[in-house]
Amino acid sequence: MLFRHRGVSPSIDASAYVAPSAVIVGDVRIASGARILHGAVVTAEDGEVTIGENCVVMEHALVRGRAGHPVHLGDAVMIGPHTHVNGSLVESEAFIATGASLFPGSRIGAGAEVRVNGVVQVNTVVPAGAVVPIGWVAVGDPAEILPPDKHDEIWAIQRELDFGRTVYGVGRDVPMTELMRRQSDYYGAHADDQLLD
């Protein structure tokens, strides 16, 4: 399904394939040979999404462009099933495995791998050719790649990356009720989306 969002419609190359159950919303550009499989959601909230040539976005993946954090997938990128790519730049020939999570402001270098359930935190840079092992966490610029049981070390770096401002545009002092009111207003813009034929 294709939707116009915030007045912008998706643009899909004629040789690309979008499964009938995939959802493509707003300022999304899909290049030749790309494949968007069943149940995937590719949405440009208020930041564009560009998907390069011969990319594959597998079942139930979420690819979301945000204000100040567009998504760009280079050529020949694999996005595995149930993966979240949220405001991230992914260079060509990267492999993002099942269940991986890429947060806003993150950058994945050419040929890098984020393996099953790997996490790349906000504003983190994974260099070209690097590997984030299964279930591990990349955090910082340049990334430190740590196992999930190293929570204190991860948090010591992540705290300085300013998750709240990067993702929501607010500091830690904003109460959850206010944050969610703002998020409700933000996502309320979908009420005006138009289904395209």
Side-chain angles (χ1 to χ4, degrees):
M1 292 187 289
L2 306 179
F3 289 90
R4 180 177 295 116
H5 178 62
R6 299 182 191 268
V8 183
S9 299
S11 172
I12 301 168
D13 186 89
S15 70
Y17 170 75
V18 175
S21 63
V23 177
I24 313 297
V25 182
D27 191 6
V28 175
R29 306 289 172 250
I30 299 174
S32 63
R35 306 293 183 242
I36 313 299
L37 301 185
H38 288 280
V41 175
V42 181
T43 181
E45 293 302 332
D46 55 1
E48 71 180 18
V49 175
T50 57
I51 296 177
E53 293 181 5
N54 300 314
C55 286
V56 176
V57 177
M58 296 195 71
E59 295 87 354
H60 304 288
L62 170 65
V63 179
R64 175 183 289 138
R66 309 177 65 91
H69 299 288
V71 169
H72 173 76
L73 304 182
D75 296 334
V77 169
M78 168 62 79
I79 302 297
H82 299 282
T83 293
H84 298 171
V85 177
N86 187 356
S88 184
L89 303 177
V90 181
E91 293 183 19
S92 295
E93 300 179 37
F95 181 87
I96 313 300
T98 300
S101 298
L102 311 182
F103 285 93
S106 63
R107 295 188 304 273
I108 310 300
E113 294 182 30
V114 181
R115 294 189 175 158
V116 175
N117 294 326
V119 175
V120 180
Q121 277 294 347
V122 297
N123 303 318
T124 292
V125 177
V126 175
V131 174
V132 178
I134 294 171
W136 284 39
V137 179
V139 60
D141 178 7
E144 288 193 42
I145 300 172
L146 300 165
D149 65 342
K150 299 291 186 186
H151 180 267
D152 292 341
E153 290 92 332
I154 293 167
W155 178 242
I157 301 166
Q158 184 180 344
R159 176 180 359 168
E160 303 307 315
L161 298 178
D162 204 2
F163 184 94
R165 243 177 256 297
T166 300
V167 177
Y168 300 113
V170 298
R172 290 190 185 118
D173 59 330
V174 174
M176 193 65 172
T177 53
E178 175 61 15
L179 174 61
M180 293 315 299
R181 184 196 62 73
R182 291 179 187 188
Q183 288 296 289
S184 177
D185 290 347
Y186 177 76
Y187 290 110
H190 284 289
D192 297 326
D193 288 358
Q194 298 172 307
L195 180 64
L196 303 171
D197 293 328

